[in-house]
Amino acid sequence: MTKTEPGTGTTLSAFLGGRLQLAQPGRGHRVGTDAALLSACLSPAADEVVYDLGAGIGAAGLGLAIRCPRCRVALVEIDPAIAALAAENAARNGLVERVATLEADVTRRPARGQSLVPGTADHVIMNPPFHLPGTIRPAPDAYRAGAHVHGQADEEAWILCALALLRARGSLALIHRPDALPRLLASLDRRFGDIRVKPVQPRAGTPAVRLLIRTVKGSRAPFLLLPPLVLHTEDGGFTAEADALHRGEATIDWQDPPRA
């Protein structure tokens, strides 16, 4: 359910089955399935630190914080107004003790003395802009345009930022379009291992519209292409798995071996 906040130009929406209430701009980029899936990609342990790069209003990072109540999360966003909404959403949902909001450019390499400090993350999640310049018509809204389009050098910079932030054996999870897979694998190669790719299909038997990727810094484990996540049944409703993910009641199945 979504309602307009009087006099603010924002709307207040329920997310993850009502587990979060999120303020977001009334027009422009909106949170939805991508954020719900990204929030379900990792399960950090107590006191582990997660950076959500390009966090927007904080949906994915806050969703992860709600699901894993003893981890700590840093929401990283370049737009001051959107970063302010992310901080407001952390407060609105009672998460300020475990969630920090950082206004920073993730295309710049983290450095000591800056807000993004190398080697301080156990995990990184990110939903980078999906499109290269010239491949789609730019959105008239500046925030939406920035959330959707950036150059290939910027795409590489996001991965380098995650690499610098992560401690050894830290994990990176991201969501992207299928046509970006060759570029992403080239960027991840020799920097990360245990790369696991899970296609996301609208319906069974249809081409994937998204890829979920999880990988580990410094690992030498082989690449795995996993069975797809199917979002909808033939009648248009969510599959049981997709419904549980949208409610924050499940995590992505990466087919990890059982823990001893």
Side-chain angles (χ1 to χ4, degrees), residues 15-16 19-20 35 38-40 42-45 48 50 52 58-75 89-90 93-100 125 248:
F15 184 62
L16 295 185
R19 299 177 73 180
L20 287 172
L38 186 59
S39 73
L42 299 175
S43 296
E48 287 191 328
V50 184
D52 179 0
L62 294 174
L64 189 148
I66 283 286
R67 191 172 49 77
C68 302
R70 298 181 65 190
C71 73
R72 291 177 289 154
V73 176
L75 306 174
N89 284 329
N93 291 280
L95 294 169
V96 291
E97 291 186 0
R98 293 190 294 114
V99 176
I125 62 174

Side-chain angles (χ1 to χ4, degrees), residues 166-254:
L166 285 166
R167 300 184 175 104
R169 312 296 295 185
S171 60
L172 165 66
L174 63 97
I175 187 168
H176 217 300
R177 287 167 48 94
D179 58 1
L181 184 59
R183 303 194 307 270
L184 294 171
L185 292 179
S187 294
L188 295 170
D189 187 38
R190 296 184 304 278
R191 297 162 175 159
F192 292 86
D194 194 12
I195 300 172
R196 303 190 183 204
V197 176
K198 192 171 189 68
V200 180
Q201 298 174 329
R203 289 176 174 80
T206 62
V209 293
R210 294 287 185 270
L211 296 177
L212 297 170
I213 299 175
R214 194 199 70 183
T215 185
V216 177
K217 179 178 179 178
S219 173
R220 293 295 177 262
F223 173 92
L224 286 178
L225 179 62
L226 300 177
L229 166 65
V230 178
L231 294 177
H232 298 285
T233 61
E234 288 304 316
D235 63 8
F238 280 133
T239 62
E241 183 180 13
D243 185 60
L245 290 166
H246 279 84
R247 291 180 175 276
E249 297 170 353
T251 58
I252 299 299
D253 180 10
W254 296 110

